[in-house]
Amino acid sequence: MNPIHGVKIMLADDEPHILQFLELGLINEGYEVKTAGNGSDAVDLAREFRPHVAVLDVMMPEMNGFEVCQSLKETEDNIAVIMLTAKDDVDDRVKGLKLGADDYVVKPFSFNELLARIEARLRNQFPDLLGEVVHGPFQVDDRRKEIRYQSQVLELSPTEYELLKFLVLNHGIVLSKSRILDRVWGYDFGGEDNIVEVYIRSLREKLKDKEHRVIRTLRGVGYRVDLL
């Protein structure tokens, strides 16, 4: 069971590489994702797909993001709209917000920033969708930012929480250091990659995982959580 099982995200952008990058990232996070390459297709897709969150590029052919936002807010129930724009322009932001947009992200942006904005909209408008999830001995409560292991609450820093959550939600999958750095610390992280090893060591201590049976190291490849 996934904590965001059933959450639908629609992406609308006329740049295929951006669509592909965001789609793969959000699918990896557990979301159900569909995409549209122009504004008109986005409106049609929304009627059929009924997304919880729509991420709309402002500059699109046929219908721009503002027009799509206005249409969605008039026809869809309780949809959250996040606008993407290449312009760091206050007037654009104000226009979008007046048309009902719930948030704004200025290009270029990090995937983690957009993910955080999506999660914030879901917590605000669809709190029941982000409940607690159980994976073997782990219970992840994203609303409380709390993880229990074998029914005991772990005392975790914010970074430890995000790292362990990422490992647990992808249990059974080998995660490379670079992928962990991108997801937990962000694509613009400028520190040393041994920070991952430091945090893994700390998590193992808190899990009393002396034999590395919970968080396994695959040398030269990465880390994997096994549910015991």
Side-chain angles (χ1 to χ4, degrees), residues 113-178:
E113 178 187 3
L114 179 61
L115 187 63
R117 301 293 182 100
I118 290 172
E119 290 174 350
R121 297 321 313 165
L122 290 170
R123 284 194 296 270
N124 182 269
Q125 292 178 238
F126 306 97
D128 293 341
L129 293 174
L130 295 177
E132 182 180 281
V133 62
V134 177
H135 284 289
F138 291 96
Q139 293 168 281
V140 181
D141 189 334
D142 207 43
R143 283 178 288 191
R144 294 176 178 268
K145 297 299 179 185
E146 180 179 277
I147 297 177
R148 291 189 292 280
Y149 177 67
Q150 295 179 341
S151 301
Q152 299 296 314
V153 175
L154 299 172
E155 296 296 330
L156 303 172
S157 70
T159 301
E160 287 173 336
Y161 171 82
E162 292 298 333
L163 174 56
L164 185 56
K165 182 179 78 167
F166 185 51
L167 291 169
V168 169
L169 296 186
N170 291 278
H171 65 86
I173 299 173
V174 180
L175 302 171
S176 67
K177 282 186 183 179
S178 61

Side-chain angles (χ1 to χ4, degrees), residues 5 76 90 102 121 123 163 181 205:
H5 175 72
E76 301 298 320
V90 174
D102 299 284
R121 297 321 313 165
R123 284 194 296 270
L163 174 56
L181 282 169
E205 289 177 1

Side-chain angles (χ1 to χ4, degrees), residues 110-113 178-191:
S110 73
F111 177 75
N112 281 350
E113 178 187 3
S178 61
R179 187 174 175 190
I180 291 171
L181 282 169
D182 288 345
R183 175 61 185 88
V184 179
W185 278 268
Y187 289 99
D188 55 354
F189 176 71

Side-chain angles (χ1 to χ4, degrees), residues 59-79:
M59 303 301 292
M60 289 189 292
E62 299 191 28
M63 292 176 69
N64 64 40
F66 297 127
E67 294 169 322
V68 175
C69 175
Q70 185 174 23
S71 175
L72 296 183
K73 286 295 184 176
E74 290 174 351
T75 59
E76 301 298 320
D77 295 332
N78 199 30
I79 188 172

Side-chain angles (χ1 to χ4, degrees), residues 10 34-36 40-51:
M10 181 181 77
K34 291 195 176 182
T35 66
S40 179
D41 286 349
V43 171
D44 292 340
L45 177 60
R47 292 197 194 102
E48 174 188 345
F49 186 45
R50 306 301 298 271

Side-chain angles (χ1 to χ4, degrees), residues 213-225:
R213 296 181 63 234
V214 180
I215 302 178
R216 296 187 180 274
T217 299
L218 285 83
R219 294 194 179 279
V221 182
Y223 300 95
R224 183 187 73 218
V225 158

Side-chain angles (χ1 to χ4, degrees), residues 76-101:
E76 301 298 320
D77 295 332
N78 199 30
I79 188 172
V81 174
I82 299 173
M83 306 292 291
L84 303 180
T85 178
K87 301 176 183 177
D88 192 2
D89 190 325
V90 174
D91 290 339
D92 267 3
R93 297 186 188 189
V94 171
K95 182 177 180 180
L97 294 171
K98 284 184 176 180
L99 291 173

